[in-house]
Amino acid sequence: MMQQKRPFPYGTLILSIVALVSVPVMIIRYLYGLGAMSNLSDGRAWGLWISFDLYCGVALAAGGFTLAALVHIFNAEKYHPVVRPAILTAFLGYIIVILALLVDLGQPWYIWHIMINWNIHSPLFEVGWCVMLYTGVLALEMSPALFERLHWRIPLRFIGMIQIPLIIAGIVISTGHQNSLGSMLLLLPYTLDPLWYTPILPALFFVSAVAVGPAMVILESTLSGMAFGHAVKLDVLSGLGRIIPFFLGIYLIMKLADLAAAGQLDMIVNSYPQNVYWLAEVIVGVVLPMVLFSIPKIRNNRAGLFGTALLVIGGLIFNRFNVSLLWQEIRPGYTYFPHWMEFAVSAGVIAWAIIVFMLAIRLLPISEHRGEAEAPAGRVPEAAAS
Amino acid sequence: MSKGVLYDGNRCIGCRSCQVACKSWNRNPAEDTTNKGGYDNPPRLSATTFTTVRFREVDHNGKFHWAFAKTQCMHCLHPACEGACPVGALKRDKDTGAVVYDDGRCFGCRYCMVACPFGIPTFEWDDPLPWIRKCTFCSGRLDGGLEPACVTACPTGALQLGEREDLITEARARISASPDKYVDHVYGEKEAGGTSWLYILPVPFEEMGFPALGEEAPTENPHIAMRTLPYYAGGVVVLMAGFYWLTKRKQKLSHTGDKHGKKEGVAK
């Protein structure tokens, strides 16, 4: 499958360069400490890596559990072709999180301390366990693709047997995880801006993750369709586009009702400049996509779907940056803007993940539409598990 | 009952003996600093400086004040860092009230630094094997019946170790004895759920860089969230299993009589 004629792979070249640049940067970090390659300080102990790789990475991996629930629990057969790519994307999202944490943590080799020293009151304790457990679950959920490729019947049948419990476990762990990322911010009642701080942050995190999950699947399907020339049927993607406004609507109502209940609706107008960030996040990332996804003309058009999905994703990323970085007070006397090496690590980690993703797509039966363009969904023969 | 220290801004003379004592007791090296015009030196807390004295020129009630404030870990009654730490490396000692750090558990996530409403914990940024560092309330000295190094070194009695409750009474007495010399507020009595270190000052606390905090302990909301999490997770399990059962059942019902239906079960 590798010998088809292709133009010079500029994309792959750039990816490889970005991936390789991150290697010496990581070496600098382990030799000279975090201070040598980041602008993190006592004033700003968490920066780009936590906001982007952890907060956004986990949220953007939500496609995995939302699609798994949609197809395997709610039995929406139609979306079956995108489950595996969605779970693969989620898996890679978690790999990104773990790789970034290996750089960000002071002493990552002691991460196993979290298994023996429990502080069950810490939201980060929950987050840590969820990252470990869910990565394991995702690996198991992905494993049929590998076993099919290797024609290993017995493990395949075993995974098939535990498939539904596995999927339910995945849903529970990742819902808990999305929640707990919000709970982490609950410890900051005095440093997170009141426009964002609310006791219902965990619920907001969860609902927005559910909304962004299908949007990520649209994005990922469109991109890999362009890269590999096997587009997912439009009908599937516009179906996803139909689901998203529903969850965005719940999210919007929760956000507004929460501010209203706290008697703080006036902050939307008064708390300049925070309100500009808040409004940008809500209007561009929530209200606008709700409108666009509701217009059939846009929903039944690949470019329209792709663009609107990007708005949802952009809005979520902006939200996570607002709460985890921009509107968290910095200690007096400090400033923070990420060092170029911080960007290099974040970009490098993503480049590594995309390389793995492309290899997986080429080598494993991930996409069920290999080389069939828009032909009626003929399935690649599959064993019991999927 | 737990210990506390009362800092009296009217007794402090800004001599920095506390800083020196702290450095030597904790074997922290001196820091290279540059003169940027202020008196604060070192300018702020760091992994090798657990306490500094702040110097500010303050105009209060039409009077000029050359005011001081020692800064260090406040040793909260409900520490945000303790609630944050996933591995329990930061713990409040119930007897002394000291919030102490155990690097045998830590793996350097720095959530404590992010969570602390007073901005206290620091990190060894230039060390490839970094740990968190902060004031320990000299908990080893307390256990041995000694005062913290800084309290011992203070020549004017601006720092006073005692039972927290007694110190609050004492602070109130000093304020009411000379109300024109103090701002009528004991900082730390209620802030963020209360702290072991307490402050009375001749000038408003914001002027000296103390954050204006409410009375709610920062650990309150996350504790509620973490307590409800198991029920929430249980609910999701039941809900998902229930929906799965329902959709399968519906499928089965619609497939009865339809012989070429797929093998029932895990198929798709």
Side-chain angles (χ1 to χ4, degrees), chain A residues 29-36 38 40-42 44-46 69 72-75 77 80 104-111 113-114 117-126 160-161 163-164 168 171-172 175-176 179-180 183-191 197 199 202 206 328 331-334 379 382 384 386, chain B residues 44-47 79-80 82-88 103-117 119-123 125-131 192-193 209 212-219 221-223 225-227 229 232-234 236-237 239-241 243-244 247-248 251 262 266-268:
Chain A
R29 180 253 171 275
Y30 291 116
L31 286 183
Y32 302 106
L34 281 162
S38 77
L40 297 172
S41 62
D42 291 330
R44 181 62 87 199
W46 282 357
H72 294 290
I73 303 299
F74 297 97
N75 208 36
E77 259 300 292
H80 197 267
D104 183 82
L105 293 178
Q107 311 235 8
W109 35 86
Y110 287 135
I111 185 71
H113 281 180
I114 207 168
N117 301 320
W118 289 24
N119 178 13
I120 55 165
H121 295 301
S122 165
L124 190 58
F125 171 77
E126 153 85 4
M161 268 156 50
Q163 191 201 16
I164 291 303
I168 293 181
I171 294 168
V172 175
T175 48
N179 272 295
S180 296
S183 307
M184 274 169 71
L185 299 170
L186 291 183
L187 262 167
L188 314 176
Y190 301 117
T191 38
Y197 185 90
F206 171 68
Q328 252 181 43
R331 290 187 194 174
Y334 289 91
R379 289 230 171 78
E382 266 187 88
S386 55
Chain B
R44 51 205 178 198
L45 302 179
S46 76
E82 185 187 47
C85 183
V87 287
D103 58 16
R105 291 178 166 232
C106 179
F107 58 84
C109 74
R110 308 190 295 284
Y111 189 18
C112 51
M113 301 174 66
V114 176
C116 178
I120 299 299
T122 54
F123 189 68
W125 293 102
D126 298 319
D127 195 325
L129 305 174
W131 300 114
L213 304 177
E215 297 185 6
E216 183 197 319
T219 47
N221 280 328
H223 277 191
M226 296 312 288
R227 264 202 303 275
L229 192 71
Y232 178 82
V236 175
V237 173
L239 214 64
M240 287 299 133
F243 271 117
Y244 179 70
T247 49
K248 277 295 141 190
Q251 217 176 25
K262 283 175 283 176
V266 289
K268 296 273 132 71

Side-chain angles (χ1 to χ4, degrees), chain A residues 13-316:
Chain A
L13 183 73
I14 295 170
L15 269 183
S16 315
I17 293 172
V18 173
L20 288 176
V21 165
S22 66
V23 175
V25 170
M26 290 188 199
I27 293 172
I28 293 175
R29 180 253 171 275
Y30 291 116
L31 286 183
Y32 302 106
L34 281 162
M37 45 76 72
S38 77
N39 285 340
L40 297 172
S41 62
D42 291 330
R44 181 62 87 199
W46 282 357
L48 179 71
W49 298 326
I50 296 294
S51 293
F52 185 68
D53 299 76
L54 180 68
Y55 272 93
C56 297
V58 170
L60 297 179
F65 84 90
T66 45
L67 262 287
L70 193 60
V71 170
H72 294 290
I73 303 299
F74 297 97
N75 208 36
E77 259 300 292
K78 184 170 123 185
Y79 301 105
H80 197 267
V82 285
V83 180
R84 254 192 202 178
I87 291 177
L88 177 63
T89 318
F91 186 43
L92 291 172
Y94 276 76
I95 299 286
I96 288 177
V97 171
I98 291 170
L99 287 176
L101 284 183
L102 287 182
V103 182
D104 183 82
L105 293 178
Q107 311 235 8
W109 35 86
Y110 287 135
I111 185 71
W112 53 270
H113 281 180
I114 207 168
M115 293 190 216
I116 51 163
N117 301 320
W118 289 24
N119 178 13
I120 55 165
H121 295 301
S122 165
L124 190 58
F125 171 77
E126 153 85 4
V127 168
W129 271 91
C130 284
V131 170
M132 287 191 293
L133 291 177
Y134 193 48
T135 309
V137 168
L138 283 170
L140 284 177
E141 284 181 11
M142 276 314 297
S143 65
L146 182 67
F147 295 147
E148 275 168 34
R149 182 91 182 92
L150 299 172
H151 302 292
W152 288 2
R153 292 281 145 103
I154 294 164
L156 197 53
R157 201 170 301 152
F158 175 71
I159 296 285
M161 268 156 50
I162 60 164
Q163 191 201 16
I164 291 303
L166 202 58
I167 280 169
I168 293 181
I171 294 168
V172 175
I173 295 168
S174 50
T175 48
H177 189 190
Q178 302 287 354
N179 272 295
S180 296
L181 279 176
S183 307
M184 274 169 71
L185 299 170
L186 291 183
L187 262 167
L188 314 176
Y190 301 117
T191 38
L192 179 59
D193 191 274
L195 198 45
W196 283 276
Y197 185 90
T198 152
I200 66 159
L201 263 174
L204 288 176
F205 264 58
F206 171 68
V207 177
S208 55
V210 173
V212 87
M216 272 305 280
V217 175
I218 293 176
L219 175 91
E220 179 271 326
S221 304
T222 311
L223 286 181
S224 69
M226 288 194 310
F228 300 105
H230 47 70
V232 175
K233 280 202 295 177
L234 183 59
D235 173 42
V236 173
L237 298 186
S238 53
L240 291 175
R242 247 180 128 94
I243 302 172
I244 297 171
F246 178 67
F247 287 101
L248 287 180
I250 298 178
Y251 180 58
L252 183 64
I253 292 169
M254 283 169 75
K255 250 178 127 86
L256 290 175
D258 170 64
L259 281 178
Q264 295 174 324
L265 271 175
D266 63 298
M267 284 196 301
I268 299 174
V269 189
N270 294 335
S271 68
Y272 183 82
Q274 292 90 312
N275 65 345
V276 178
Y277 288 71
W278 192 90
L279 286 170
E281 169 194 320
V282 170
I283 291 175
V284 179
V286 181
V287 178
L288 191 58
M290 275 170 72
V291 174
L292 291 177
F293 273 136
S294 311
I295 302 171
K297 221 181 202 163
I298 293 176
R299 205 173 55 224
N300 293 320
N301 168 309
R302 281 183 193 277
L305 277 169
F306 183 71
T308 315
L310 273 184
L311 287 182
V312 177
I313 293 163
L316 178 121

Side-chain angles (χ1 to χ4, degrees), chain B residues 123-197:
Chain B
F123 189 68
E124 296 174 326
W125 293 102
D126 298 319
D127 195 325
L129 305 174
W131 300 114
I132 294 291
R133 288 287 174 251
K134 74 169 195 69
C135 159
T136 62
F137 207 155
C138 286
S139 72
R141 289 174 61 99
L142 287 184
D143 291 342
L146 294 171
E147 293 179 323
C150 55
V151 176
T152 307
C154 181
T156 62
L159 293 171
Q160 187 180 334
L161 177 75
E163 292 297 329
R164 185 173 179 272
E165 305 306 315
D166 303 343
L167 290 176
I168 292 172
T169 319
E170 166 74 19
R172 287 258 168 70
R174 285 189 207 169
I175 293 173
S176 52
S178 31
D180 50 325
K181 282 176 71 186
Y182 291 97
V183 172
D184 187 15
H185 183 66
V186 181
Y187 191 92
E189 183 187 0
K190 302 261 172 66
E191 270 76 12
T195 61
S196 299
W197 280 62

